[in-house]
Amino acid sequence: MEDVQPGCEAAIAQLKRWVNALMAGDFDVLESVLADDFQFTVEPRFAGGRMNKQQFIAFDRMIKSCSITFLGITARRMGDMVTSLAFAEVTEEFHGDLGPDMPSAAEMAGLMQGARLAYGSGWRQNSQGEWQCFSHHIFGFIDG
């Protein structure tokens, strides 16, 4: 299900480009999808709960394989900003150790086998008019 307000389509296209790049293992796409001041937040058990653009891309490069299916996307625009809310089913497998303050690769693989997650993102246009994500938050795992 998608509920995308007019004027939000290009930001949602970037969200889908991001997800498709992760599934294809094309992590360089993240350089253009994520703004330079990008911030990722999540519960503290994952790297203390916050990553900047470089940390987030380095973490994603540890993905060995993944499958992401959107269960629902909602997007709204006000002024220069689009916010998106996405529900997705995610399966991820990782290469080796994920670094300090992170669960082990085996623990993450167990957490991320068919996990249903809720994400919120903030989007704005850069100077070239391309939509970029500047804020991305995982609200958490969805039970049931």
Side-chain angles (χ1 to χ4, degrees):
M1 176 208 68
E2 287 192 18
D3 179 10
V4 178
Q5 181 184 44
C8 300
E9 299 89 352
I12 297 307
Q14 285 288 75
L15 173 63
K16 291 177 180 179
R17 182 175 170 233
W18 176 356
V19 166
N20 290 334
L22 291 179
M23 292 191 292
D26 186 5
F27 304 106
D28 292 341
V29 168
L30 299 179
E31 291 291 343
S32 65
V33 171
L34 306 180
D36 288 341
D37 62 345
F38 172 83
Q39 288 290 305
F40 168 71
T41 54
V42 66
E43 64 180 87
R45 72 176 159 154
F46 300 102
R50 180 175 302 276
M51 293 182 203
N52 64 24
K53 179 179 179 175
Q54 290 73 31
Q55 293 166 320
F56 186 79
I57 292 173
F59 172 77
D60 277 359
R61 286 185 187 281
M62 296 299 294
I63 296 172
K64 181 177 177 180
S65 66
C66 76
S67 170
I68 302 169
T69 303
F70 285 116
L71 305 172
I73 298 173
T74 302
R76 296 292 180 266
R77 182 175 181 168
M78 183 170 279
D80 297 339
M81 186 186 307
V82 169
T83 59
S84 62
L85 174 62
F87 295 98
E89 186 170 291
V90 180
T91 296
E92 291 177 333
E93 207 177 339
F94 297 88
H95 301 283
D97 182 35
L98 299 176
D101 300 321
M102 288 294 292
S104 70
E107 290 170 322
M108 281 294 288
L111 283 171
M112 299 305 292
Q113 290 300 309
R116 294 165 51 111
L117 298 167
Y119 302 87
S121 302
W123 301 86
R124 64 173 177 247
Q125 290 178 293
N126 63 17
S127 60
Q128 291 82 36
E130 299 164 328
W131 286 92
Q132 292 184 305
C133 182
F134 65 90
S135 179
H136 184 64
H137 179 72
I138 295 179
F139 291 108
F141 292 84
I142 302 167
D143 295 328

